[in-house]
Amino acid sequence: MFESATALSDCNKFLIHSSLSLNSAWPYSNWSTYVCPPSTPPSSPGAAGNDPIFVGADGIPYRVDGQAGRTFNLVSSPCLSVNSEVQEVPPHFQYPRLGLTSTVFGSMHVSVGCLNITEQIGPGLGWSKNSQLTRVDARFDVLSGTIVCRMPSKGNQTVKCDSVPGLQVAEYYRECDLKDMTCDWFPVSAKWSRSMSLAHVQPGITKTHLHIGNSLLVVTRDSLRQGNNVSCDDFERWPKAREACYMVVRYLSREGGQQSAVSLSEEVIQYYFSILAAYRGMLVPAPTVFFFFHLSVEHLDARDFSDPALLHGLLGQRLLSPRPVPNRSSMIHPEHILKSAGAVHMLVSDLGSQGEGFIEGTYHDYMVPTLDNHCSFPFSQFLGDVC
């Protein structure tokens, strides 16, 4: 009946196959290779995540593996600084085809201070300085997932993170449904009041929105479970989850040939793998879990910084667009150089694994001695009261 149905999208084929494949007369077994990609979030000015891969405001990725066991500065400006530990991915949690092979981000420390909070007085009257944000430090613990905020000006007294004027904190958790293979974010405050069913799984992913003045930073805590080898028989009652399982297994085992590689993006595979592994983790008694962090800057408002030109750090110097990268053209073949918006960018395939061509100096220049030290590296721009 589908011989002349040339207008069907890959997503339609996947949905039809998921509904009819239980029937032994169904002849289109190859339709299991098609996929409905998940909705993607709006593009961010910049992000740092797996392995770790950094993405600048221009959308061009670069890689800085860092050094396991050391702490690096990711963002540094006069009023905002973000540090993160770099941790090694244990061998039994390494998934090369999913981009998890060497290092990821561990605990993070965010320090905010000297921020000009502004408000609009009235139509045509422009913006007027209203107050300054008292410095507050927020520590994100990778093992417990807790956030502890302290006020250095009050002897490092612990405070509620959203009790400081100019700083708002909102926490969310991820929940997915095996019936339709979709996920959504829900406020942590509603976690225990939601009705659940066996088809609902929680991949162990949470995120925290830090609204700093007019800007938004998002710290996401991701997780992987040991012993979460996917068994597709576990998903017999949910056709969409079962078909997604077959796709993941083929992808990870390099089966399916070129067609599988073309029709499945790494983003889709990671999305499905996370959902399926979460359910598998429910079946494994007390599985070992490995946690790590991502950082993204969802919105960056220049009014939040006394001088945007001072923005620096492994990610920070790439948060503004257009933003030239350091001149390394003498090391790169001319035909591999891209010119965009007046800045020179180099293809990530032509660069080393430590951000060469995208950061100033070397990655060693961004090391800090402790997680809460935002000053002791050559490119620090932070003007907090301890610097």
Side-chain angles (χ1 to χ4, degrees):
M1 64 183 290
F2 294 108
E3 281 185 5
S4 300
T6 57
L8 286 176
S9 67
D10 289 353
C11 182
N12 276 329
K13 291 179 181 179
F14 169 72
L15 296 174
I16 294 171
H17 175 78
S18 299
S19 299
L20 301 180
S21 58
L22 292 177
N23 192 313
S24 59
W26 177 249
Y28 300 98
S29 59
N30 62 319
W31 282 21
S32 64
T33 60
Y34 296 110
V35 67
C36 287
S39 58
T40 57
S43 58
S44 304
N50 288 3
D51 230 21
I53 298 295
F54 293 74
V55 180
D58 48 20
I60 298 179
Y62 58 103
R63 178 173 171 175
V64 183
D65 288 335
Q67 183 178 328
R70 300 299 299 266
T71 301
F72 292 82
N73 177 265
L74 305 184
V75 178
S76 183
S77 78
C79 302
L80 169 68
S81 186
V82 182
N83 290 341
S84 180
E85 296 173 347
V86 171
Q87 58 182 1
E88 186 176 6
V89 181
H92 44 280
F93 289 111
Q94 292 180 2
Y95 295 90
R97 299 212 74 191
L98 299 183
L100 288 168
T101 57
S102 55
T103 58
V104 289
F105 293 124
S107 295
M108 289 191 173
H109 196 275
V110 179
S111 189
V112 185
C114 72
L115 184 68
N116 290 323
I117 306 302
T118 58
E119 62 178 4
Q120 195 165 13
I121 304 301
L125 297 180
W127 292 88
S128 174
K129 293 181 180 178
N130 181 38
S131 64
Q132 289 191 327
L133 173 62
T134 304
R135 183 182 165 192
V136 60
D137 293 342
R139 188 185 192 280
F140 293 77
D141 185 79
V142 72
L143 293 179
S144 65
T146 58
I147 310 166
V148 177
C149 289
R150 300 183 185 276
M151 300 283 290
S153 62
K154 298 182 178 181
N156 281 330
Q157 176 183 343
T158 301
V159 297
K160 291 185 177 180
C161 295
D162 56 0
S163 66
V164 181
L167 177 66
Q168 294 182 341
V169 180
E171 298 180 73
Y172 302 88
Y173 74 98
R174 192 77 157 156
E175 186 177 296
C176 305
D177 194 330
L178 292 169
K179 295 194 300 292
D180 53 17
M181 291 301 287
T182 59
C183 298
D184 207 346
W185 293 101
F186 298 92
V188 169
S189 58
K191 188 171 185 177
W192 306 115
S193 62
R194 284 180 48 78
S195 60
M196 300 285 290
S197 72
L198 187 61
H200 290 143
V201 296
Q202 296 174 4
I205 303 175
T206 59
K207 68 176 180 179
T208 302
H209 284 191
L210 294 175
H211 296 267
I212 303 168
N214 302 296
S215 299
L216 173 61
L217 273 66
V218 178
V219 179
T220 302
R221 182 174 179 250
D222 209 338
S223 66
L224 286 172
R225 290 170 171 80
Q226 184 180 2
N228 58 3
N229 295 326
V230 177
S231 172
C232 296
D233 292 340
D234 296 334
F235 307 99
E236 191 69 27
R237 72 190 75 184
W238 303 295
K240 292 181 182 179
R242 188 189 59 185
E243 294 301 328
C245 178
Y246 291 144
M247 297 177 195
V248 170
V249 169
R250 280 195 298 270
Y251 186 89
L252 296 179
S253 62
R254 296 182 180 273
E255 295 177 1
Q258 186 64 28
Q259 183 181 11
S260 177
V262 170
S263 60
L264 296 176
S265 70
E266 183 178 299
E267 180 186 12
V268 171
I269 287 294
Q270 286 187 337
Y271 178 87
Y272 285 153
F273 182 79
S274 176
I275 300 175
L276 301 175
Y279 180 73
R280 182 63 176 168
M282 292 167 56
L283 306 180
V284 179
T288 302
V289 183
F290 177 65
F291 294 101
F292 52 101
F293 278 121
H294 306 273
L295 173 72
S296 64
V297 181
E298 301 291 337
H299 178 65
L300 187 67
D301 194 318
R303 292 176 305 185
D304 292 338
F305 302 94
S306 59
D307 184 356
L310 296 178
L311 198 60
H312 216 290
L314 288 175
L315 173 63
Q317 61 184 310
R318 303 285 297 137
L319 286 177
L320 299 179
S321 181
R323 186 77 164 181
V325 296
N327 184 11
R328 298 286 185 89
S329 58
S330 60
M331 302 171 57
I332 309 295
H333 195 280
E335 68 183 22
H336 294 309
I337 296 179
L338 298 178
K339 292 187 177 181
S340 174
V344 177
H345 305 292
M346 276 145 278
L347 294 173
V348 68
S349 59
D350 296 318
L351 303 171
S353 62
Q354 298 289 4
E356 294 90 341
F358 286 95
I359 62 174
E360 294 187 51
T362 70
Y363 75 102
H364 292 100
D365 296 324
Y366 297 83
M367 287 185 183
V368 291
T370 59
L371 188 61
D372 59 355
N373 187 312
H374 297 269
C375 313
S376 302
F377 70 101
F379 301 113
S380 173
Q381 308 294 325
F382 192 55
L383 299 178
D385 52 15
V386 298
C387 293

